[in-house]
Amino acid sequence: MPKEMGEMGMSKEMGMSREMSTNGRGGHLYMQTNEVKNAIIHYHRSANGTLTEVERVATGGAGSGTFKPISGQDSAPNSFEGAGSVILSPDRRFLFATNGGDNSVSSFAVGDQGRLTRIDTKPTGNAVEGKSGTAKSLAYSPSKGMLYVVHSFGPDHIRIMSVSSDGKLTPRMERYTANTPEKAHRVPTMGVLSPNEKFFLVGTTFDLPIAISGTYPDGSPILWVPGPDGKTRSVASNAPDPDGIVIFRVNANGTLSDPSFQDGGGGSPFYIAFLHNQPDTFILGYAVGDGVSMCRIDEDGRIGVSKVVPIDTRRGAIAELCWLSVSPDDRLLYATVFGYSNVTTFHIDGPEIRVAKDPACPDVEGDGTFRGLCGDISSGPSDNWVSPDGAYLYQIYGNASKLVGYATKPDGSLEEVTSVAIPYNSPEGLAGF
């Protein structure tokens, strides 16, 4: 096909996809199965929030399956302690997905009716050690044509790929670490570009993963270990060392500068969510700090972090509040609480955050085989996604084998409107329009 015809066809398909999302007929939602033969599940999202599976498209790469590399468990949800494994380019031409099992990335064209056509699958450059790789989080710079890939295990936590105008991927040699000289086994969670694409921000969760710290005879994780000074310290990042957020300046050619290690304000600053209408402002979600905080980044890449707004932890501390979505009007925040099997919501009022509903929905029960760090039996909720009109929130519950959709309410409460079966424990990543 001549290049001009291909571009015209792609533009027509993209236009139809965009129209679908804005004319009251709903839109599209994408999730990766993270099965050993990885695939993207494409759902049609109706105007009333219900989901209908449209297709499953192979990524050409491998997921980890039910195996959880971060802890060494044979079967558990949230395989990589990460977020952002499925993303769309801002113009919705492309969808990108990690393949954590073999450390590769796949690109897809988004066409008519949101359907996917795989373009490319390329290795990140990090070798797989043991049963699985750990590629898990993506950020895309349209101005640089660069894709940033975060891995759970280092030392080369971050690799980059060039993205051509037709979606082809070219792995590059550059590599970057979230480790410090004293901490050789850190676990980052996700990478996010600032809205002006000047900075690449990386969240973290562990200074020492449970796969190394180990478990007690009853299977519960060892969360306190001897430090270099002989004193007992937490395996969680930024608890208390003020170095849990790693910030890189993005160079003109898309490569990254040396990292700056900054205070995340609480234990395990896991998730970074920029507001839609305030490009210097983002919210942090804390897996161990059990709450959220409002943050700002200045022109030099320095961040300021407000006081953590906590959730109710009477069920047990270390609730693992890990995934965030911000409503399009920047008024509501949806926070997934991994250990409690539910979602908490917050009101955002200018520079202030306050709890709206805690919890915002009933617990979703799993099969009883998985416990969070707080000790509660959990269904392992992970990635969430809010629709562009703010009317619906979608939430993965891996250990319950469910993807649940909720209607959002002005007071922050959530009402279930749809539920679809998904593979057991392994799924991750949500993106859509």
Side-chain angles (χ1 to χ4, degrees):
M1 178 185 295
K3 180 180 179 183
E4 292 80 8
M5 290 181 64
E7 290 177 346
M8 288 175 63
M10 180 172 284
S11 297
K12 181 179 179 181
E13 289 179 350
M14 287 189 298
M16 292 179 70
S17 293
R18 280 192 288 269
E19 182 185 359
M20 281 283 292
S21 68
T22 58
N23 65 4
R25 288 188 286 162
H28 305 276
L29 184 62
Y30 305 93
M31 179 192 74
Q32 68 157 294
T33 66
N34 187 37
E35 295 168 305
V36 174
K37 291 185 178 180
N38 199 12
I40 302 296
I41 304 180
H42 166 205
Y43 300 95
H44 175 256
R45 182 174 55 81
S46 70
N48 67 3
T50 57
L51 296 175
T52 303
E53 183 173 329
V54 176
E55 58 181 343
R56 296 193 183 200
V57 183
T59 66
S64 69
T66 60
F67 176 63
K68 187 168 183 171
I70 201 74
S71 61
Q73 292 166 281
D74 288 333
S75 184
N78 185 25
S79 298
F80 304 109
E81 297 283 351
S85 66
V86 179
I87 65 171
L88 286 159
S89 61
D91 61 9
R92 301 177 190 155
R93 289 183 63 200
F94 304 121
L95 181 140
F96 304 102
T98 58
N99 299 296
D102 61 8
N103 281 346
S104 67
V105 174
S106 300
S107 61
F108 301 82
V110 182
D112 185 20
Q113 306 295 316
R115 289 185 176 272
L116 300 179
T117 302
R118 185 165 65 91
I119 300 171
D120 207 356
T121 302
K122 290 290 175 60
T124 65
N126 281 9
V128 174
E129 298 180 3
K131 293 175 64 174
S132 174
T134 61
K136 65 175 179 182
S137 180
L138 297 169
Y140 175 62
S141 168
S143 68
K144 305 289 194 302
M146 198 73 76
L147 194 64
Y148 302 87
V149 190
V150 179
H151 303 71
S152 296
F153 295 158
D156 301 328
H157 293 107
I158 302 158
R159 302 301 298 261
I160 60 178
M161 293 181 169
S162 298
V163 182
S164 70
S165 60
D166 59 357
K168 291 283 188 179
L169 305 174
T170 302
R172 297 174 56 108
M173 296 299 293
E174 293 88 352
R175 59 199 69 195
Y176 308 91
T177 190
N179 288 339
T180 69
E182 298 79 23
K183 299 171 183 176
H185 301 287
R186 301 191 90 193
V187 179
T189 53
M190 68 182 304
V192 176
L193 283 163
S194 59
N196 61 12
E197 300 184 33
K198 289 185 178 180
F199 300 100
F200 184 64
L201 292 76
V202 178
T204 61
T205 188
F206 292 121
D207 283 340
L208 189 71
I210 293 168
I212 294 177
S213 66
T215 58
Y216 294 106
D218 66 356
S220 60
I222 296 173
L223 301 177
W224 297 87
V225 296
D229 57 2
K231 296 181 180 179
T232 302
R233 59 178 297 130
S234 171
V235 300
S237 61
N238 218 109
D241 295 344
D243 58 4
I245 296 293
V246 189
I247 299 180
F248 300 82
R249 183 179 291 274
V250 180
N251 299 319
N253 63 358
T255 60
L256 303 178
S257 65
D258 290 336
S260 169
F261 296 89
Q262 300 189 36
D263 187 2
S268 294
F270 188 104
Y271 200 101
I272 302 164
F274 274 89
L275 299 187
H276 303 288
N277 305 299
Q278 298 182 56
D280 65 344
T281 304
F282 61 94
I283 296 174
L284 280 176
Y286 300 93
V288 171
D290 292 336
V292 300
S293 68
M294 185 84 78
C295 310
R296 284 182 171 81
I297 184 167
D298 67 19
E299 294 180 355
D300 296 318
R302 303 298 304 180
I303 64 172
V305 182
S306 64
K307 185 178 179 181
V308 175
V309 178
I311 61 171
D312 186 341
T313 57
R314 282 176 290 183
R315 292 171 59 169
I318 312 184
E320 297 175 88
L321 185 157
C322 294
W323 292 269
L324 304 177
S325 284
V326 180
S327 64
D329 62 2
D330 291 340
R331 299 298 300 274
L332 278 169
L333 175 71
Y334 305 94
T336 303
V337 187
F338 182 74
Y340 292 173
S341 308
N342 59 34
V343 177
T344 292
T345 56
F346 298 81
H347 284 301
I348 304 171
D349 186 8
E352 303 295 328
I353 303 177
R354 66 182 188 278
V355 172
K357 292 291 181 179
D358 181 13
C361 59
D363 294 0
V364 173
E365 294 185 359
D367 68 357
T369 63
F370 177 73
R371 290 183 182 271
L373 296 181
C374 65
D376 264 17
I377 294 175
S378 171
S379 59
S382 56
D383 300 80
N384 65 32
W385 180 80
V386 66
S387 61
D389 60 3
Y392 300 101
L393 179 82
Y394 297 89
Q395 176 67 63
I396 294 174
Y397 293 92
N399 189 253
S401 299
K402 290 182 180 180
L403 172 60
V404 176
Y406 301 96
T408 63
K409 305 298 180 181
D411 66 354
S413 58
L414 298 170
E415 179 183 348
E416 183 175 334
V417 295
T418 190
S419 177
V420 293
I422 61 176
Y424 177 65
N425 271 345
S426 63
E428 61 177 41
L430 287 175
F433 58 92

